[in-house]
C-alpha cells in the first residue's frame, strides 16, 4: 500500500516513520496505543519505503509500504498505525525541552483463514436513560460487542412509530465505525431538529 504525507505548515519539517500497534480504547472508538514491551511481533511484518522525509511548506510525498505476512500467521485482525514524527532541528543554546508532533494512518489488516465474525447488542437505550420526554431532540444509544477475531462495521436503524402509524427511520451506525475484536463500541443517533427529522 501507500501512505500520503502532507506538510501543511509554513516551514520545512523532518519526519521519521514508526509502526505501532493499537487496540480499542474507550467506547467512543478512540484507539489506544500499547507500550513497546506489549506490542505484537506482527509489527515486524511492516516495511516502510522511506527511513525519513524532508518536506518543504505545502509539499507532499507518497510513501509505499509492504506487509510481509508469514505462512504460519494466525488468521484474524491485526491493527497498526504508521506514524510520521516531526523531529525539529536543535537550536543553538537550546535546552532539552521541545515539542514533537506525529500523525498516523490506521491500518486494519485481515489475515485470511478461519475468521469468526460475531457480536452482540449489549444495550439499547436513550443516552441519558430517561423514558419520558417533553421535547426533542432525543439521543438513542446502543452498545455493540465484537466477540469474533476480526473487526466489524455494524450498521442498523431505529424505527419510531407514532400513535397514527407514521414511521421515522433513523440510522444507528453508518457501517464505517470499526469495532475491534474483544471490544465494545457505543453508537448514537439523534431524533429531533439536529438530525434533520421533524
Amino acid at each position: 500500500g501507500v501512505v500520503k504525507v502532507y506538510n501543511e505548515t509554513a516551514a520545512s519539517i523532518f519526519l521519521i516513520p514508526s509502526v505501532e500497534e493499537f487496540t480499542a480504547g474507550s467506547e467512543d472508538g478512540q484507539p489506544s496505543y500499547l507500550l513497546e514491551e506489549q506490542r505484537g511481533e506482527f509489527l515486524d511484518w511492516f516495511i516502510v519505503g522511506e527511513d525519513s522525509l524532508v518536506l518543504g511548506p505545502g509539499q507532499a510525498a507518497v510513501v509505499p509500504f509492504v506487509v510481509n505476512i508469514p505462512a504460519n500467521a494466525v488468521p484474524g485482525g491485526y491493527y497498526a498505525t504508521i506514524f510520521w514524527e516531526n523531529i525539529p532541528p536543535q537550536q543553538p543554546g537550546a535546552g532539552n525541552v521541545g515539542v514533537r508532533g506525529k500523525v498516523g494512518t490506521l491500518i486494519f489488516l485481515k489475515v485470511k483463514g478461519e475468521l469468526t465474525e460475531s457480536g452482540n447488542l449489549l444495550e439499547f437505550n436513550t443516552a441519558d436513560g430517561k423514558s419520558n420526554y417533553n421535547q426533542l431532540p432525543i439521543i438513542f444509544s446502543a452498545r455493540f460487542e465484537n466477540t469474533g477475531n476480526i473487526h466489524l462495521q455494524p450498521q442498523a436503524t431505529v424505527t419510531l412509530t407514532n400513535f397514527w402509524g407514521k414511521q421515522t427511520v433513523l440510522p444507528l451506525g453508518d457501517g464505517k465505525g470499526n469495532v475491534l475484536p474483544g471490544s465494545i463500541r457505543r453508537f448514537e443517533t439523534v431524533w429531533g431538529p439536529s438530525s434533520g427529522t421533524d
Side-chain angles (χ1 to χ4, degrees), residues 55 74 114 122 166:
L55 295 178
V74 177
E114 276 193 49
L122 295 180
K166 180 183 176 184

Side-chain angles (χ1 to χ4, degrees), residues 141-196:
S141 173
R143 296 174 69 234
F144 181 87
E145 177 186 29
N146 184 344
T147 57
N149 65 354
I150 190 68
H151 53 280
L152 300 175
Q153 295 179 320
Q155 189 173 342
T157 56
V158 178
T159 302
L160 306 167
T161 306
N162 69 9
F163 185 76
W164 296 277
K166 180 183 176 184
Q167 291 189 333
T168 300
V169 179
L170 305 173
L172 181 60
D174 56 7
K176 297 178 182 177
N178 288 289
V179 186
L180 301 190
S183 72
I184 298 169
R185 184 161 179 180
R186 183 184 303 275
F187 296 90
E188 293 186 343
T189 188
V190 180
W191 179 34
S194 61
S195 68

Side-chain angles (χ1 to χ4, degrees), residues 112-130:
K112 293 181 180 180
E114 276 193 49
L115 300 178
T116 304
E117 296 183 342
S118 63
N120 298 311
L121 181 64
L122 295 180
E123 179 184 354
F124 177 77
N125 205 341
T126 54
D128 56 9
K130 291 168 51 178

Side-chain angles (χ1 to χ4, degrees), residues 27-49:
E27 292 188 7
D28 63 0
Q30 292 298 314
S32 175
Y33 292 92
L34 302 179
L35 298 174
E36 190 168 347
E37 59 271 17
Q38 298 174 315
R39 295 174 189 165
E41 293 180 2
F42 79 93
L43 295 180
D44 294 336
W45 302 350
F46 287 80
I47 300 171
V48 180

